Amino acid sequence: MSLTNARALVIGVSQYRRIPPLPSVADAEDLAGLLCDPARCGYAPANVALLQESDATRDQILDELDRLAATAGPGATVLVYFSGHGGGLPGGDSYLMPIEAEWSSPGRLDATAISSQVLADKLAAVRADRVTVILDCGHAATLASSRDTAGWVPALADGALGRLAAGQRVVMAAARSGGASHGLAGARHGLFTEHLIAGLRGAAGGGDGAVRVLDLYRHVQRNVVARFPAQRPVLEAAADDNYPIALCPTAARPAFTAPPSEFAYDVLLVYAADDRDRVWVGRLIRLLEERGVRVCTEDEAPRDGHRARELERLVLTSRFTLPVLTPRFSASRFRDLQTVLAQQLGIEDGIAQLVPVVREPCEARLGLRGLVFLDMIRDDNVVPGVDRLVRTLRRHTAPRPAVR
């Protein structure tokens, strides 16, 4: 597989001149280098523009967007990435903040920053068929102790993200409106970009030699939420075309081939809403994805009145459901999963769809006949247990459920 006329604009700002700085990270530098790697993403180096710190001025960013409009025609793939401050003043538009930006007044903000309307207008001039905008901003935690915020709201409004996605574009943002984008002290990357880079390196890749845009978002979303449940990455897309955004040479992918299946995922992980469980599940996700397993978690179900129905749909579109059993995972939730599977899939037709992962000794009873489970109580059992699951996935295709 090849990408036709793939181009990228990668922007990173942390050491602002007139507003509080952000922690110094290598998000933009490492992402641009990865995109240019012929053994990974496959963008031509001449087609990747990197603007960092003093180079990331308002004028230079707008000039590079104009260059994309002039060079990326129909059939092209375009990626625009920004890491830095983003947000707005109450009641106003949302803005990306270049190096010289300031928020002392609405007038200064308009003159020194890039509003979502200005950015949307620039993107509208790009005629490429596939345009992806990735925004790692909304660093509310960084501003918590700063007095120089002038009422600044450090998050991009949902309406602004929708404006950027208009015209068949896909927009990924590190956090929803009102959320915060996290980073770990001393880390090379922010949390969102850490998993973005891992996905592009192959963790979100498919067997067809490509990383596709919706697969990349799912990878980032579930890993970010597993680490910081309060941070909820968001996707805005005017179309649901899961197009290739980067190459993922098959030689770089783990050797995992499941039998033919219409299931959207190989496994669904369900676990307790406790940081101890989430951190361990994050490790389990990485081990599974390193082996090419398509993983989904219950965090992808909405947290509103439709959650139970959507969680059932995730169960029905996953080949196996893996509840992670600890004392914090209630027996009632385990029984609910058994009921859904027994009623909808017919557990006793040759292969159990429910494969509990026992992480800590607990009282949940494995009450269905012939049910097998993975003992991962000891750390040295985790990798063998994952490999055992992968072997099972290779051998069996679960019966296709009727999704209603």
Side-chain angles (χ1 to χ4, degrees):
M1 175 176 288
S2 63
L3 289 177
T4 302
N5 193 18
R7 296 176 178 273
L9 170 58
V10 180
I11 306 158
V13 191
S14 62
Q15 304 308 299
Y16 284 89
R17 296 170 182 168
R18 300 185 177 97
I19 59 177
L22 291 167
S24 182
V25 291
D27 288 352
E29 177 183 356
D30 287 357
L31 176 60
L34 177 61
L35 292 174
C36 296
D37 185 345
R40 295 289 183 175
C41 295
Y43 285 54
N47 290 347
V48 177
L50 172 61
L51 298 178
Q52 290 192 100
E53 304 301 350
S54 61
D55 290 333
T57 65
R58 186 178 191 274
D59 286 345
Q60 287 180 276
I61 292 171
L62 297 180
D63 285 347
E64 289 296 338
L65 288 169
D66 288 339
R67 187 169 290 110
L68 284 176
T71 57
T77 298
V78 168
L79 188 158
V80 176
Y81 169 89
F82 177 87
S83 174
H85 276 308
L89 298 176
D93 199 352
S94 291
Y95 294 81
L96 301 185
M97 305 298 279
I99 187 72
E100 77 274 31
E102 57 179 291
W103 53 49
S104 57
S105 70
R108 292 304 300 157
L109 186 58
D110 271 329
T112 61
I114 299 173
S115 70
S116 73
Q117 186 60 63
V118 168
L119 181 56
D121 290 344
K122 292 292 185 181
L123 292 171
V126 178
R127 296 169 298 149
D129 293 337
R130 297 171 295 279
V131 178
T132 308
V133 181
I134 302 178
L135 305 172
D136 190 354
C137 45
H139 302 270
T142 305
L143 298 176
S145 61
S146 174
R147 298 179 181 179
D148 185 25
T149 61
W152 180 255
V153 179
L156 301 175
D158 294 338
L161 297 178
R163 186 178 301 121
L164 297 179
Q168 308 301 305
R169 292 184 288 272
V170 172
V171 178
M172 301 182 204
R176 294 184 179 277
S177 177
S181 179
H182 289 271
L184 302 177
R188 185 172 178 83
H189 306 122
L191 180 66
F192 176 84
T193 297
E194 173 188 335
H195 293 295
L196 177 72
I197 288 174
L200 289 168
R201 280 181 175 150
D208 62 350
V211 177
R212 295 181 176 273
V213 66
L214 299 183
D215 298 334
L216 178 61
Y217 169 73
R218 293 185 188 108
H219 167 82
V220 173
Q221 192 269 352
R222 61 176 167 258
N223 279 284
V224 168
V225 171
R227 189 65 181 270
F228 283 103
Q231 181 175 341
R232 310 291 297 187
V234 61
L235 177 76
E236 289 281 349
D240 59 1
D241 180 19
N242 192 16
Y243 55 77
I245 191 175
L247 299 183
C248 178
T250 53
R253 295 291 298 144
F256 169 78
T257 303
S261 170
E262 296 180 20
F263 286 89
Y265 305 99
D266 295 309
V267 299
L268 164 65
L269 289 172
V270 183
Y271 48 93
D274 184 281
D275 286 345
R276 288 167 290 182
D277 297 67
R278 290 182 184 277
V279 169
W280 187 81
V281 166
R283 178 190 172 200
L284 180 60
I285 289 172
R286 287 191 293 274
L287 289 170
L288 289 167
E289 290 186 334
E290 285 171 0
R291 289 154 175 79
V293 177
R294 299 171 300 167
V295 182
C296 124
T297 74
E298 62 176 310
D299 287 307
E300 298 186 26
R303 299 191 177 275
D304 55 21
H306 302 288
R307 178 170 175 78
R309 176 62 178 160
E310 289 305 310
L311 180 57
E312 179 180 327
R313 183 172 292 275
L314 289 175
V315 169
L316 297 178
T317 55
S318 301
R319 295 175 63 217
F320 290 90
T321 296
L322 276 62
V324 178
L325 302 185
T326 68
R328 297 167 292 281
F329 189 101
S330 71
S332 63
R333 292 192 70 208
F334 183 78
R335 287 193 296 271
D336 289 344
L337 285 172
Q338 288 180 323
T339 300
V340 169
L341 286 157
Q343 290 179 345
Q344 302 292 344
L345 302 180
I347 287 183
E348 301 196 21
D349 55 10
I351 181 171
Q353 312 302 314
L354 187 64
V355 181
V357 174
V358 182
R359 176 54 185 168
E360 297 177 23
C362 53
E363 296 300 322
R365 294 184 178 181
L366 312 183
L368 295 179
R369 185 180 58 175
L371 197 66
V372 297
F373 65 93
L374 294 173
D375 181 354
M376 296 189 183
I377 295 176
R378 292 175 49 186
D379 286 343
D380 56 5
N381 284 341
V382 173
V383 171
V386 168
D387 290 337
R388 177 184 172 194
L389 175 63
V390 169
R391 289 194 296 271
T392 300
L393 289 169
R394 285 197 185 103
R395 290 195 302 267
H396 297 289
T397 301
R400 176 66 177 166
V403 180
R404 297 172 297 172

